[in-house]
Amino acid sequence: MVRGEDETDILIVGGGLMGCAAAYYLARAGAEVLLVERGDLNTQASGATGGSLHAQIPTEEFHAHGEDWGRAFLPVLRLMTAGVEAWQGLSAEIGIDLEVETPGGLVVAETEEEMAWLARKAAMERGFGIETEMLDRAELRDLAPYLAEHAIGASFCKGEGKANALLAAPALAQAAERHGARIRRGVEATAIARETGAYRVETNARPIRCARLLNAAGTGARRLGRMVGIDLPVRGYPIHMNVTEPTAPLVRHLVYSAAGRLTIKQAANGTILIGGGWPAGIDPKTGFPVVLRDSIQANLWLAMRAVPALAGLQVVRTWAGFVNGTEDWRPILGEAPGLPGYFVAAFPWFGFTAGPLSGRLMADLILGRDPGFDLASFAPGGPNA
Ligand SMILES: Cc1cc2nc3c(=O)[nH]c(=O)nc-3n(C[C@H](O)[C@H](O)[C@H](O)COP(=O)(O)OP(=O)(O)OC[C@H]3O[C@@H](n4cnc5c(N)ncnc54)[C@H](O)[C@@H]3O)c2cc1C
């Protein structure tokens, strides 16, 4: 080690759910891990997230692009369904209740036309081995009496649900520390140089030398890729969320609408989280994401249309965050060709659902173990790819 340098076997850049999960699985396997986070843990997408666990073909995209899109999405969907499974048992394993519940997801329809395309989507999902069924009006009322009378039916995807996003990444970070990982907040990776068998990472604090590096920088992944000459097609898209005051148990399921962007679910503390990916803006002065009045209004209108009792509740907070997205909706998971030891873990749009699983898969890849999934098609491109 050069004087003044820090050294580790594996350096993780990014303290969101992805980085914290990878740190946990690596440290649990006995690896030497240092995680650096430029701000505080869980303050970007993983803390801003709605915390839904999704296991179906994204509704809006299916409606817009049809069966071919759904089929092309299957490899990603496989990771998401396995991702939901990976949440089960995690609380017990790390000794912290992450409030994981999987009562299923309902996409509510108001018209026969919506029922028809939801039925096509449900059939496709069943073909993929996902338990989705169509419910008529009576079955829907029976299962979810809190939904509006004008709902004429729904698709019901078993196994979908939620977890507490404010708890998950910090809890995994704590568990990683218990297994010996080091975590440094306020440390930003600013440049990376390749050296024989190692990477030297410049930071706003001491430089760090590592044998292997995991880029888990969320929307910062592209910048971190450029530091080693690779272009990762990850961008930050600003979207917003709303939360109501707490109320008695009301919304049992994860609720979507066939009519537009919507997710509704009730947290363990009784508050109701309302989202669905409505766009937010970007403050031109600070570059921070900011909520847009039109988006909030449209989002809440759809929510009250689906669950009328929401109209009696106060929204106590709205917030915006950058979600890490890729144009093709595919994650980037693997070692960069031509850059031995440089790994990327970027799961777009549904990185909360897939976070713990992806962290485990990355730990396996980094340690040279079989991850049990064929991840070859998700590998990042190499330098100048
Ligand atoms: C409003 C919103 C709602 C969402 N809802 C859902 C949902 O319901 N279900 C779902 O599955 N997904 C959802 N998502 C997506 C999901 O939250 C993200 O895909 C996931 O959290 C990404 O995790 P991450 O760890 O990769 O990134 P992040 O949580 O963004 O973490 C990356 C971290 O890297 C740090 N970093 C970046 N560059 C550097 C650097 N150079 N040096 C040091 N640190 C650096 C950042 O500060 C950040 O903390 C939502 C996202 C948003 C914004």
Side-chain angles (χ1 to χ4, degrees):
M1 179 166 46
V2 178
R3 241 175 103 101
E5 260 185 5
D6 201 342
E7 193 172 306
T8 183
D9 180 6
I10 302 162
L11 176 68
I12 300 175
V13 181
L17 183 59
M18 184 67 89
C20 293
Y24 166 64
Y25 288 108
L26 283 164
R28 197 185 68 170
E32 185 197 8
V33 182
L34 169 63
L35 181 152
V36 293
E37 161 55 51
R38 68 180 166 198
D40 204 345
L41 299 178
N42 207 35
T43 49
Q44 299 303 309
S46 302
T49 185
S52 305
L53 303 180
H54 301 285
Q56 60 180 295
I57 301 169
T59 306
E60 285 231 333
E61 278 56 42
F62 180 86
H63 187 214
H65 310 299
E67 266 87 349
D68 285 349
W69 193 93
R71 214 162 287 114
F73 190 70
L74 178 60
V76 186
L77 196 58
R78 292 252 181 268
L79 289 175
M80 288 165 59
T81 51
V84 176
E85 274 168 38
W87 279 94
Q88 310 286 354
L90 195 56
S91 300
E93 189 181 316
I94 63 175
I96 297 174
D97 182 4
L98 303 177
E99 298 170 6
V100 180
E101 276 187 50
T102 50
L106 287 163
V107 187
V108 178
E110 291 184 23
T111 66
E112 292 299 342
E113 193 249 327
E114 288 170 353
M115 284 296 276
W117 65 259
L118 281 180
R120 286 204 308 278
K121 177 169 163 310
M124 182 163 228
E125 285 162 357
R126 281 196 299 277
F128 295 162
I130 293 169
E131 284 186 78
T132 306
E133 56 182 288
M134 291 303 292
L135 305 180
D136 64 19
R137 185 194 288 269
E139 291 165 328
L140 182 60
R141 289 224 65 71
D142 220 30
L143 185 72
Y146 57 86
L147 290 171
E149 292 278 352
H150 54 248
I152 64 164
S155 63
F156 180 50
C157 178
K158 290 188 183 155
E160 288 200 313
K162 62 194 171 189
N164 187 324
L166 297 178
L167 296 176
L172 283 162
Q174 265 181 40
E177 280 180 309
R178 282 202 300 275
H179 285 285
R182 289 184 292 152
I183 294 187
R184 297 249 174 80
R185 296 157 174 85
V187 176
E188 178 170 10
T190 53
I192 303 173
R194 251 183 101 183
E195 298 184 345
T196 318
Y199 292 93
R200 182 184 148 99
V201 180
E202 301 297 331
T203 75
N204 54 340
R206 285 197 297 164
I208 303 164
R209 183 182 299 273
C210 59
R212 291 168 284 184
L213 186 149
L214 176 62
N215 174 347
T219 57
R222 188 166 215 164
R223 178 172 163 244
L224 212 72
R226 287 196 181 124
M227 292 179 195
V228 288
I230 58 173
D231 185 34
L232 301 169
V234 181
R235 270 184 53 203
Y237 297 78
I239 57 174
H240 93 267
M241 288 290 308
N242 317 276
V243 65
T244 71
E245 62 185 319
T247 188
L250 171 66
V251 180
R252 261 199 58 215
H253 307 93
L254 174 58
V255 175
Y256 311 78
S257 166
R261 295 171 184 275
L262 181 67
T263 56
I264 309 174
K265 63 195 162 289
Q266 189 159 19
N269 66 3
T271 60
I272 296 187
L273 289 148
I274 301 170
W278 282 84
I282 300 177
D283 183 314
K285 288 203 190 85
T286 63
F288 290 154
V290 284
V291 293
L292 298 175
R293 189 191 170 108
D294 286 354
S295 280
I296 294 172
Q297 275 177 345
N299 196 181
L300 296 181
W301 184 86
L302 261 184
M304 289 186 287
R305 187 151 179 95
V307 181
L310 292 179
L313 295 175
Q314 298 285 341
V315 168
V316 293
R317 194 161 70 90
T318 61
W319 68 93
F322 286 110
V323 56
N324 51 323
T326 56
E327 290 281 328
D328 64 3
W329 289 64
R330 288 172 67 81
I332 307 169
L333 300 168
E335 188 172 20
L339 291 169
Y342 185 99
F343 292 83
V344 180
F347 206 108
W349 309 114
F350 304 112
F352 186 74
T353 301
L357 173 78
S358 304
R360 205 263 295 151
L361 296 177
M362 292 315 299
D364 284 340
L365 285 182
I366 292 170
L367 298 175
R369 303 190 303 202
D370 177 6
F373 272 88
D374 182 3
L375 297 172
S377 69
F378 298 122
N384 311 314

